[in-house]
């Protein structure tokens, strides 16, 4: 164990934290926890030298995965100790004897057990050999250590505001809005700070590295490089050791921010589904969306110093999203048309329970605006799922004492309107049948100053067609026309003065089911909106697509 750590810390043998003026040290490590009978797990030990008395000292340990036991001890500095490695490795037995002797002679300065982020801070420390010993008693774990002899000037951890709590300012079924007071580090010290928000269903986190350990599991941290030739400048930067080019540059955490980001991305695993981490820049209000209704979530906010990549945790919170609004189920009466309005992206549930045994059930649907989806379940089993545009009818096999649950899902574009009729005694279709093409065609060559000629398609069934006109101003365009494409608005909504005529029309040959009509009595150079309604046997009307026409100004 000692040999591995001596090699891992490599050159120099001790992690140097010299008097003010030299760089601070930050490194990642893995504490191994083993249980072999009654043997205690082997500790991880790190050493550093403080060469001058009255030196400030700060050591911060962040457990990332499991609780740690750690302690800091001070031992006398050997007379031949220096900041440079001798380059001559000592025998392993001699190393163990030396480490054991140092451990016995050391004076304990600080000790802690738990999973909180804890620090040892002293404004004046004596010179000597310092030993940091860490043990994970529960399982293999990860931790982060930051030590410095210049704590006042470094300040790598963002400072928390006077009130460090995260507040829930708004609560919905699928959204939660969070707010917190900004860290003074960004404004007062002018250091680059961003906030990362974490949400999960289990518990609050005390550190950002604990979140990353949870997200990535064993892959959240880079595997320690092998001793010897496997060491590279990349490895040293990752583990917090300055490269040869950085030794004389003073205090800096990474020499290249882009490289730091690249390294960070290289060892981050893909997030798991049960935890989300979102970094949002320097905003101190955020709405978490796409949550599940009636579910408790835990929310944490971390202030991250993007220059040092160090973070500080706010006091997290938790909240339960609101329950899903219970859908009211409407009852359908046999043979009666029901008008239905659905909000954008909304749904409606309807129940049809025939009072007598039946051999078949007919559903007549007229979608007035955009396409809607209809699903029908008979005694819980899905028997129909279709998208409906315009007028459609569906016949289902009946079943004694069966009950039908109808779900209608609206359009994503906007609100939906439709008419629905369910019956076990189908006679005549309540809604008139429509041709596939419901456009009205205008003939430009037949257009005069006082009339226009139009045509539309019919069906094989004999139906009544009524034509209406309405003068509109020149600013009326296709966008206005599309807004009025509600096919369910019938002639009863029109003024009597707008009516042109009504006539009956059909053709056994669909290819010849075309009718024309000349609209007279118009004024020169005026725009008109033309509508054709087809009226069914039950009196329900369906409107064709409106047509905007304009008479000639000069004839």
């Amino acid at each position: 164990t000692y040999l591995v750590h001596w090699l891992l810390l490599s050159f120099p043998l001790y992690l140097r934290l010299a008097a003010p003026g030299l760089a601070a040290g930050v490194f990642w490590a893995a504490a191994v926890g083993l249980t072999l009978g009654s043997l205690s797990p082997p500790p991880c030990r790190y050493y550093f030298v403080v060469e001058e008395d009255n030196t400030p000292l700060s050591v911060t340990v962040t457990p990332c995965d499991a609780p740690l036991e750690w302690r800091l001890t001070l031992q006398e500095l050997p007379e031949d100790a220096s900041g440079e490695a001798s380059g001559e490795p000592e025998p392993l037995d001699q190393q163990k004897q030396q480490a054991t002797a140092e451990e016995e002679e050391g004076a304990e300065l600080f000790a802690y057990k738990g999973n909180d982020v804890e620090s040892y801070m002293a404004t004046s420390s004596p010179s000597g050999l310092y030993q940091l010993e860490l043990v994970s008693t529960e399982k293999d774990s990860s931790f982060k250590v930051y030590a410095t002899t210049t704590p006042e000037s470094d300040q790598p951890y963002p400072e928390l505001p006077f009130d460090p709590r995260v507040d829930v300012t708004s609560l919905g079924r699928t959204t939660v809005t969070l707010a917190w007071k900004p860290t003074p580090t960004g404004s007062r010290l002018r250091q680059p700070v961003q906030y990362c928000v974490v949400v999960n269903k289990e518990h609050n986190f005390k550190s950002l590295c604990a979140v990353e350990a949870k997200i990535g599991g064993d892959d959240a941290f880079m595997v320690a490089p092998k001793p010897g030739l496997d060491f590279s400048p990349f490895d040293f930067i990752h583990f917090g050791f300055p490269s040869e080019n950085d030794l004389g540059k003073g205090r800096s955490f990474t020499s290249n921010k882009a490289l730091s980001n690249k390294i960070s991305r290289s060892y981050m695993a893909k997030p798991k589904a049960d935890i989300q981490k979102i970094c949002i820049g320097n905003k101190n209000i955020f709405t978490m969306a796409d949550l599940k209704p009636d579910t408790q979530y835990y929310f944490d906010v971390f202030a991250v110093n993007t220059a040092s990549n160090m973070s500080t945790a706010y006091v997290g919170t938790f909240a339960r999203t609101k329950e899903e609004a219970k859908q009211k189920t409407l009852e359908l009466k046999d043979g009666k048309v029901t008008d239905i309005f659905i909000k954008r992206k909304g749904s409606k549930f309807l129940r049809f329970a025939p009072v007598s045994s039946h051999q078949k059930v007919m559903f007549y649907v007229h979608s007035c605006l955009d396409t809607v989806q209809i699903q029908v379940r008979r005694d819980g089993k899905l028997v129909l799922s279709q998208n409906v545009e315009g007028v459609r009818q569906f016949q289902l096999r009946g079943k004694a004492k069966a009950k039908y649950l109808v779900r209608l899902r609206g359009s994503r574009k906007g609100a939906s309107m439709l008419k629905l009729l369910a019956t076990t005694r189908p006679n005549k279709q309540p809604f008139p049948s429509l041709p596939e093409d419901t456009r009205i065609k205008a003939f430009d060559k037949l257009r005069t100053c006082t009339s226009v000629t139009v045509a539309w398609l019919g069906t094989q069934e004999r139906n009544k067609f009524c034509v209406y006109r309405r003068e509109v101003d020149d600013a009326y365009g296709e966008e206005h026309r599309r807004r009025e494409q509600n096919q369910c608005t019938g002639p009863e909504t029109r003024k009597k003065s707008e009516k042109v005529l009504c006539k009956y029309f059909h053709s056994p040959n669909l290819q010849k089911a075309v009718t024309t009509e000349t609209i007279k009595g118009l004024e020169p150079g005026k725009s008109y909106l033309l509508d054709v309604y087809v009226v069914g046997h039950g009196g329900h009307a369906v409107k064709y697509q409106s047509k905007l026409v304009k008479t000639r100004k000069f004839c």
Side-chain angles (χ1 to χ4, degrees):
T1 301
Y2 301 118
L3 180 62
V4 170
H5 284 96
W6 286 54
L7 288 175
L8 182 61
L9 293 175
S10 186
F11 82 101
L13 179 62
Y14 303 109
L15 177 61
R16 175 176 294 278
L17 294 174
L22 292 182
V26 56
F27 53 91
W28 287 91
V32 181
L34 301 174
T35 304
L36 299 174
S38 61
L39 294 179
S40 300
C44 282
R45 293 188 179 95
Y46 295 93
Y47 302 88
F48 57 88
V49 173
V50 174
E51 295 182 337
E52 297 182 7
D53 288 331
N54 302 319
T55 299
L57 177 62
S58 173
V59 178
T60 302
V61 176
T62 304
C64 297
D65 193 16
L68 296 178
E69 294 183 21
W70 65 274
R71 67 188 189 115
L72 183 67
T73 57
L74 171 63
Q75 298 152 23
E76 291 187 7
L77 187 65
E79 295 182 359
D80 57 348
S82 66
E84 300 296 331
S86 64
E88 297 179 0
E90 299 175 346
L92 180 58
D93 291 342
Q94 185 176 345
Q95 294 175 15
K96 288 184 177 181
Q97 293 173 4
Q98 179 181 351
T100 303
E102 291 170 346
E103 181 180 352
E104 292 176 353
E105 296 173 2
E108 184 177 286
L109 301 177
F110 185 81
Y112 174 76
K113 180 180 180 181
N115 59 359
D116 286 330
V117 180
E118 279 292 338
S119 299
Y120 168 80
M121 300 188 67
T123 56
S124 178
S125 298
S127 61
L129 174 65
Y130 287 78
Q131 174 186 276
L132 177 64
E133 181 178 280
L134 307 99
V135 178
S136 177
T137 57
E138 292 187 1
K139 61 177 182 178
D140 289 6
S141 182
S142 302
F143 60 90
K144 191 174 185 180
V145 176
Y146 180 83
T148 179
T149 54
T150 56
E152 289 297 325
S153 58
D154 286 347
Q155 295 188 339
Y157 292 93
E159 184 181 347
L160 288 177
F162 177 75
D163 182 1
R165 294 173 299 178
V166 178
D167 295 318
V168 175
T169 60
S170 177
L171 194 63
R173 290 191 297 272
T174 61
T175 60
V176 173
T177 300
L178 308 169
W180 56 92
K181 292 179 173 57
T183 169
T185 299
S187 57
R188 183 165 53 82
L189 300 179
R190 299 188 180 278
Q191 293 186 8
V193 174
Q194 74 166 343
Y195 298 99
C196 293
V197 182
V198 175
V199 57
N200 77 108
K201 300 178 184 178
E202 296 180 4
H203 54 76
N204 289 108
F205 288 91
K206 298 182 178 181
S207 67
L208 191 56
C209 78
V211 174
E212 292 166 348
K214 180 73 172 179
I215 291 176
D218 294 336
D219 296 328
F221 304 100
M222 179 177 292
V223 177
K226 294 180 180 179
L229 297 179
D230 284 351
F231 280 101
S232 68
F234 175 87
D235 298 325
F236 284 114
I237 292 174
H238 177 75
F239 279 90
F241 297 104
S243 65
E244 293 180 1
N245 296 330
D246 293 333
L247 288 177
K249 293 183 179 179
R251 288 185 296 273
S252 71
F253 298 92
T254 57
S255 58
N256 187 318
K257 185 177 181 181
L259 176 60
S260 175
N261 292 337
K262 182 178 180 182
I263 293 172
S264 177
R265 290 192 300 269
S266 69
Y267 64 85
M268 278 301 298
K270 292 183 179 180
K272 296 180 180 179
D274 59 347
I275 182 171
Q276 292 185 63
K277 169 191 166 188
I278 305 171
C279 295
I280 61 171
N282 58 5
K283 298 183 297 180
N284 64 319
I285 185 170
F286 181 70
T287 298
M288 187 71 69
D290 298 326
L291 303 176
K292 293 182 179 180
D294 193 25
T295 304
Q296 181 158 300
Y297 289 93
Y298 294 85
F299 302 94
D300 291 290
V301 173
F302 300 92
V304 182
N305 185 329
T306 56
S308 65
N309 203 28
M310 297 297 192
S311 60
T312 305
Y314 278 71
V315 178
T317 187
F318 61 89
R320 178 175 290 274
T321 51
K322 292 184 178 180
E323 293 183 8
E324 187 76 69
K326 293 183 179 180
Q327 289 282 357
K328 184 179 180 180
T329 302
L330 302 177
E331 292 288 341
L332 291 174
K333 294 185 178 181
D334 198 332
K336 184 178 180 180
V337 175
T338 302
D339 295 316
I340 302 166
F341 174 81
I342 306 175
K343 295 180 180 180
R344 177 176 175 267
K345 294 184 179 182
S347 297
K348 280 289 177 68
F349 290 87
L350 304 100
R351 182 174 176 268
F352 180 53
V355 294
S356 60
S357 60
H358 53 281
Q359 294 182 343
K360 58 184 177 181
V361 173
M362 294 292 296
F363 287 94
Y364 299 94
V365 185
H366 179 198
S367 177
C368 309
L369 294 171
D370 294 314
T371 302
V372 297
Q373 184 192 61
I374 179 173
Q375 288 184 341
V376 180
R377 294 182 181 273
R378 183 181 59 207
D379 296 335
K381 182 179 180 181
L382 184 66
V383 292
L384 173 66
S385 181
Q386 289 283 334
N387 291 328
V388 177
E389 185 175 6
V391 176
R392 293 284 300 276
Q393 65 181 49
F394 304 99
Q395 178 176 304
L396 303 178
R397 182 183 302 173
K399 187 178 180 182
K401 298 182 180 180
K403 293 179 175 56
Y404 301 84
L405 181 65
V406 182
R407 179 182 181 180
L408 300 169
R409 182 176 296 174
S411 169
R412 294 188 175 185
K413 298 178 182 178
S416 300
M417 296 181 64
L418 62 141
K419 293 177 179 289
L420 176 65
L421 181 145
T423 181
T424 58
R425 302 182 298 274
N427 186 8
K428 290 184 178 180
Q429 181 175 332
F431 308 124
S433 57
L434 293 174
E436 293 184 2
D437 191 345
T438 58
R439 293 176 298 173
I440 302 172
K441 179 178 174 58
F443 298 95
D444 186 64
K445 292 183 179 181
L446 301 179
R447 183 166 57 100
T448 70
C449 291
T450 58
S451 68
V452 293
T453 300
V454 294
W456 64 89
L457 297 178
T459 62
Q460 292 176 324
E461 298 179 4
R462 187 171 183 268
N463 285 313
K464 179 182 178 181
F465 295 87
C466 294
V467 182
Y468 285 75
R469 72 179 185 191
R470 177 163 63 93
E471 183 179 338
V472 295
D473 55 35
D474 292 336
Y476 192 95
E478 286 298 313
E479 183 63 28
H480 293 85
R481 186 185 66 83
R482 280 193 289 268
R483 292 176 187 172
E484 300 183 4
Q485 287 309 299
N486 184 353
Q487 290 186 337
C488 291
T489 55
E492 69 277 0
T493 63
R494 305 298 296 264
K495 297 179 181 178
K496 290 184 178 180
S497 59
E498 295 176 352
K499 183 177 179 180
V500 177
L501 59 89
C502 287
K503 68 176 184 179
Y504 287 90
F505 165 72
H506 78 288
S507 176
N509 187 349
L510 283 178
Q511 295 181 350
K512 296 181 180 180
V514 181
T515 185
T516 61
E517 194 65 42
T518 298
I519 315 298
K520 300 178 181 179
L522 309 180
E523 296 183 11
K526 297 292 185 179
S527 296
Y528 294 87
L529 191 69
L530 301 182
D531 286 304
V532 173
Y533 298 89
V534 54
V535 184
H537 300 289
H540 297 285
V542 179
K543 187 175 72 171
Y544 278 48
Q545 297 180 36
S546 301
K547 181 66 177 179
L548 185 64
V549 297
K550 188 173 184 179
T551 56
R552 295 187 185 275
K553 192 172 184 179
F554 303 103
C555 295

